[in-house]
Amino acid sequence: MHARYTWRTLAREVGLILLALAFLVPLAGLLNVSLKPRDSQSGALAFAFPPTLDNYVQAWNQASLGAALANSFLITAVSVVLIIAFASTAAYPLARVTRGWSRYTFYFVIGGLLVPGQLALLPLYATMRDFGLLGSLWSVILINVGQQIPFSVFLYTMFLRELPLDYEEAALLDGCGPLRSFVSVVFPLLRPVTGTVVILNAVGIWNEFFTPLLYLGGSGNTTAPVAIYGFVSQYVSQWPLIFAGLVISVIPILVVYFALQKHIIKGFAGGLKG
């Protein structure tokens, strides 16, 4: 029996279409302005004719986007790998050990989500200065890892609590130790939530502006958001170049998102289920 097409269904479809347009219109304006000549006086949504790719060439060359994107990629990739390694191994005993200390340790780690990053700004900056890491990509990587560990541990722990113990018990009977059991048996089962951890952290780290601006300022290293910010000044903002740079910088993270999108909802739902 087929479901009837009612006015409620129509209203939902119209609402979803309007919601999609609300997201698509700004993106269309972004792309349109990036294709306009820099002396164009037309509005953001007025069709760029004739369209030009000169803004992309100029943005790439003037902002040294090649080097900036390479730095962003390196920071994001290393940070995400370290977050996965630390968060998954920390979550495993927190999810499997039933003693009181495990529960309190979990609450302590999750408490990191409630601490504003601004509270640690000066101590962290002084620490990076004392270790000689200012201007180094490692300063940004270490800050990102520390900031993202609590939420990643939360997702991994909640997902692990939903996994049955059968495979681990079989591995232990075969002589595997806890570490080998985790690496060989448990971690492959964490693929859905790992996909969620990857994309959520990758998007946040890739788009991070303040941290690289603070810790890499004055050095030869920069990231894509900071490089694009160079087109903004007190009196003049080169919007066609800014928007062209934004389009260039968003392409890599969009590729990662679409490649892992099937894991996002599944892993996030599994994490919240606990």
Side-chain angles (χ1 to χ4, degrees), residues 88-89 92-93 96-97 167-169 171-187:
S88 60
T89 52
Y92 184 53
R96 291 295 186 245
V97 177
Y167 295 108
E168 297 167 62
E169 292 173 347
L172 292 174
L173 290 176
D174 288 339
C176 290
L179 181 60
R180 185 178 176 186
S181 175
F182 172 75
V183 173
S184 302
V185 178
V186 177
F187 189 75

Side-chain angles (χ1 to χ4, degrees), residues 8-88:
R8 290 188 179 88
T9 306
L10 176 62
R12 282 196 296 267
E13 291 179 351
V14 172
L16 290 174
I17 291 173
L18 293 176
L19 183 62
L21 288 175
F23 284 97
L24 289 176
V25 168
L27 294 178
L30 171 70
L31 183 61
N32 191 48
V33 172
S34 71
L35 295 172
K36 287 185 176 185
R38 272 174 281 174
D39 57 355
S40 175
Q41 301 297 321
S42 59
L45 295 179
F47 182 68
F49 187 83
T52 177
L53 296 178
D54 182 63
N55 294 324
Y56 290 87
V57 176
Q58 294 300 322
W60 182 272
N61 293 330
Q62 292 184 29
S64 300
L65 276 182
L69 287 171
N71 287 335
S72 290
F73 176 79
L74 184 60
I75 290 172
T76 303
V78 175
S79 298
V80 169
V81 169
L82 292 177
I83 289 169
I84 292 173
F86 292 140
S88 60

Side-chain angles (χ1 to χ4, degrees), residues 80 83 148 151-152 155 193-207 253 256-257 260 264 267-268:
V80 169
I83 289 169
Q148 303 303 325
F151 185 61
S152 300
L155 288 178
V193 72
T194 298
T196 303
V197 170
V198 167
I199 192 62
L200 292 180
N201 286 301
V203 169
I205 293 171
W206 183 272
N207 293 322
I253 204 65
V256 175
Y257 175 81
L260 298 176
I264 297 175
F268 194 66

Side-chain angles (χ1 to χ4, degrees), residues 115-148:
V115 179
Q118 292 82 354
L119 289 180
L121 193 60
L122 290 178
L124 285 175
Y125 187 87
T127 301
M128 294 300 170
R129 180 198 59 202
D130 295 340
F131 280 100
L133 292 177
L134 291 181
S136 168
L137 299 184
W138 278 107
S139 62
V140 181
I141 291 171
L142 293 174
I143 296 297
N144 286 329
V145 172
Q147 288 177 338
Q148 303 303 325

Side-chain angles (χ1 to χ4, degrees), residues 254-272:
L254 279 180
V255 172
V256 175
Y257 175 81
F258 287 122
L260 298 176
Q261 63 176 333
K262 66 179 181 180
H263 298 296
I264 297 175
I265 300 301
K266 183 177 179 181
F268 194 66
L272 293 178

